[in-house]
Structure formats: C-alpha cells, structure tokens
Amino acid sequence: MKANIPGRHRLVLAVARLLFTLRHPVLVVRFVMKLGYLPNPAAPESYHERLLWRKIVDRNPQFVTLTDKLAAKAHISSACPELALPRTLWSGRDPADIPLDLLAGEVIVKTNHGCAMNIFVASGDPNRGLIVAKARHWLRKRYGRRDGEWAYWPIVPTVFVEERLALSGARIATDIKVHVCGGVVTHAWVEDKAAGRSLLFDREANPLPGRDPDYPRDDQAVPVNARLLNYVRQAVSIAPAIAGNLDYIRIDFLVTDNCLYAGEIVVYPGAGYGTTTNPAFAGEIERLWRLDRSHYLRRRHSGLARFYASALRATCAADAGNR
C-alpha cells in the first residue's frame, strides 16, 4: 500500500482488503493456488490483482453486453461497421428448433453465455441428437461461477448457429488478441491453434520474446511474415474503436486468408489467471490500466462504499504522481 496516501485511506483499504478476502475466500484461495501469492483485492497493483478486483468490485453493466457473444456482435458492428463479422445463421432458446438444412453444411453451433461451448459441424456430423443434447446441457449451466466471472451470470442463455470460417491456421494464424487500456493498445497476442504456436507483439507490431503456458517452447513461435504483420497492424488499429473508453479489455480477431474477422470481446482474459514468461506483458498493462477510469470509480457512491472509493481514488492519484 502506498505510504504517501493519508492514514485514514490506508485504514479504509486495509479493512476493505480483510472484508473482500472474507467475503470471497474461494476466489482468493484459487488466486493463491494459480499464481502463488496472496492478493490485495481492495487496492490492486498487479495485473492479476486488478482482474480479481474487477470480478469482486467493478460491476460495469457494459461487461455483460460485451461478454454476451450475440450482443457483442451488435456492439462491434456499431463501433466498427467496416470489420467483417461471422454471420449468425439462426438463434433461439431451444436447439431442437435449429433448421435441419443448417446442420447439413459446415457451421458452428454455440451458446452466447460461456466459453468453450462450440460444436463444429461438417456434412451432418455430429448428428442432430448429439447437438441438441449437448446444447441443452450448456444452456442449463451458469458459466463463470467457479472463477467469479460475474458478467456471464445475467446473460439470457441462447443457442445460435454461426458460419464456419476457413481460418488460416498453419499458414498465417487463427487468432489475434489485442489488449487495450483506455484506448491505448498494450500488446497483441497471435495464436495459431491449428499448428499449436503463438507469438507476442508490441503495439507497433514488433515481435517480442516470451512464451505462454499453452505453447511454452521457443520452437512454438508463430513464424513472422508480411501477411501476418499486416493483419496485426490492422487489428491494432481497429481494436481501440471497439474498446471505447473502457479501462481495460481484450479484443479478439479471427484470421482468414482473405480478411480479418471480428472474434470475441474478453472481460476476464484467462479467467484472471493467464500468464506469460515475458514480464513486459503484464508490466505494460499495469502501467496503462487506470482504475480511476473504471466504471466503479467513475460513479458516485454513498454509505461505506463512498469511503472505500475515495481511498482507492487516492491510491490511483498516488500511482499517477509516481510515474
């Protein structure tokens, strides 16, 4: 905790830390198990502590919109109409209502309220019965409870069918993930899921060292070529328009041979636990992620929350003064 903030603020933050820890013991214990240190969820400093703070404190209603895969498409289309989007071919509450002809081609059946809920369909396989059973199971789940990702909880679960893009895996990449703080890009992370490799870039599209847990070896770096660099520069230029004035967000893109497509908007990257071997990745986000620009600290508060918000704002001001 900053020594140059008034003692009353330090006391408030110390009490808040105790209360947050007692109220969310499972999240704190999981944080320690995943990342190896005891977090301060009341006055966060590290990248991962800030994500924990976001889960516990910053209930920005826009996070729900951006986390909802269908609502996020509408947001992206409004913010950046020139960016291609995978077409939504059908959506509804009951997967049994999916038109038969849609499942005869190459599509993806998804739900809008969670991650890793995708069924890749090609030439009628898997069969309709399996698709309906799996989608109904997903629709009954309340995703995000385990890791405290509350923005998933208010989403009305919906199943939808989306066109299946021919991604450029093993040629260029499959995904580009751009981290944005207050309209400023910090990094872009390129992933090739087909070939099992990745690469980190700075905001100028310069490759950086460092691996991630999914692709830890140096020989799992995505090869750099002119087409990849062009796509990274496009993604870096587009992402701030989609991010708007949010204090921190990740904007994902899908890579095809012909153009860049919008992917998802991610409020809690890696469920709050994602790491890399390059400390500059988290360090740059920590430098630019201003909590005083968060939804929580932009609001007026009453009662005890007013004292906490005031103390946290003082900490943010001290951070800004030390830079």
Side-chain angles (χ1 to χ4, degrees):
M1 195 176 300
K2 300 293 180 296
N4 57 338
I5 66 172
R8 67 183 186 279
H9 290 329
R10 292 201 299 273
L11 177 61
V12 168
L13 293 174
V15 172
R17 179 178 186 176
L18 176 62
L19 292 177
F20 290 166
T21 300
L22 292 175
R23 188 173 179 182
H24 303 277
V26 174
L27 290 183
V28 172
V29 169
R30 185 165 290 122
F31 186 103
V32 174
M33 293 176 63
K34 293 275 190 180
L35 299 168
Y37 67 97
L38 185 66
N40 183 348
E45 295 188 16
S46 73
Y47 169 60
H48 297 101
E49 285 178 329
R50 293 174 196 222
L51 286 171
L52 178 61
W53 178 85
R54 171 175 281 187
K55 293 177 186 179
I56 293 174
V57 177
D58 194 18
R59 303 296 175 95
N60 186 345
Q62 189 179 5
F63 291 163
V64 179
T65 300
L66 301 180
T67 300
D68 181 330
K69 290 180 171 59
L70 289 171
K73 283 189 173 189
H75 172 84
I76 293 168
S77 181
S78 174
C80 196
E82 69 275 15
L83 179 62
L85 276 162
R87 289 177 297 140
T88 301
L89 306 175
W90 178 89
S91 66
R93 300 297 303 282
D94 188 349
D97 294 334
I98 299 174
L100 279 171
D101 61 314
L102 285 184
L103 302 180
E106 293 198 358
V107 296
I108 308 176
V109 179
K110 299 182 174 183
T111 57
N112 68 327
H113 70 302
C115 292
M117 297 181 181
N118 307 312
I119 304 172
F120 295 87
V121 181
S123 303
D125 184 39
N127 65 58
R128 181 184 180 84
L130 180 61
I131 292 171
V132 171
K134 185 173 287 190
R136 281 179 172 168
H137 170 70
W138 288 338
L139 291 172
R140 290 192 295 268
K141 293 182 64 176
R142 194 179 183 190
Y143 187 87
R145 289 189 65 84
R146 174 182 172 85
D147 292 309
E149 299 167 281
W150 69 267
Y152 287 104
W153 306 345
I155 298 171
V156 177
T158 304
V159 63
F160 65 103
V161 181
E162 185 178 86
E163 70 169 315
R164 185 172 178 178
L165 301 176
L167 300 182
S168 293
R171 295 187 300 279
I172 307 173
T174 56
D175 303 76
I176 299 175
K177 304 173 182 183
V178 182
H179 298 256
V180 186
C181 292
V184 179
V185 170
T186 64
H187 298 89
W189 190 269
V190 171
E191 186 174 13
D192 188 339
K193 293 179 180 177
R197 52 197 184 187
S198 66
L199 193 62
L200 182 65
F201 289 84
D202 67 16
R203 67 177 64 89
E204 306 298 333
N206 298 307
L208 297 173
R211 312 300 317 137
D212 64 278
D214 291 331
Y215 314 104
R217 303 191 313 271
D218 288 341
D219 64 352
Q220 290 179 299
V222 172
V224 177
N225 56 58
R227 295 182 70 192
L228 176 63
L229 291 176
N230 181 53
Y231 276 135
V232 171
R233 293 187 183 104
Q234 284 184 46
V236 166
S237 68
I238 293 170
I242 300 172
N245 66 350
L246 288 171
D247 50 324
Y248 169 67
I249 202 74
R250 195 185 82 194
I251 310 296
D252 292 358
F253 299 85
L254 300 171
V255 179
T256 71
D257 287 347
N258 300 317
C259 71
L260 204 62
Y261 280 78
E264 299 177 359
I265 302 175
V266 182
V267 172
Y268 314 106
Y273 309 120
T275 60
T276 76
T277 60
N278 187 337
F281 171 77
E284 184 68 356
I285 295 175
E286 291 161 7
R287 186 179 72 84
L288 293 172
W289 185 349
R290 297 267 307 271
L291 292 187
D292 54 339
R293 294 176 178 170
S294 67
H295 172 74
Y296 183 82
L297 288 185
R298 285 178 172 178
R299 293 168 49 210
R300 295 186 66 179
H301 296 277
S302 60
L304 295 177
R306 175 168 59 92
F307 297 103
Y308 170 65
S310 178
L312 187 56
R313 289 191 190 102
T315 300
C316 293
D319 282 338
N322 290 333
R323 288 174 184 155

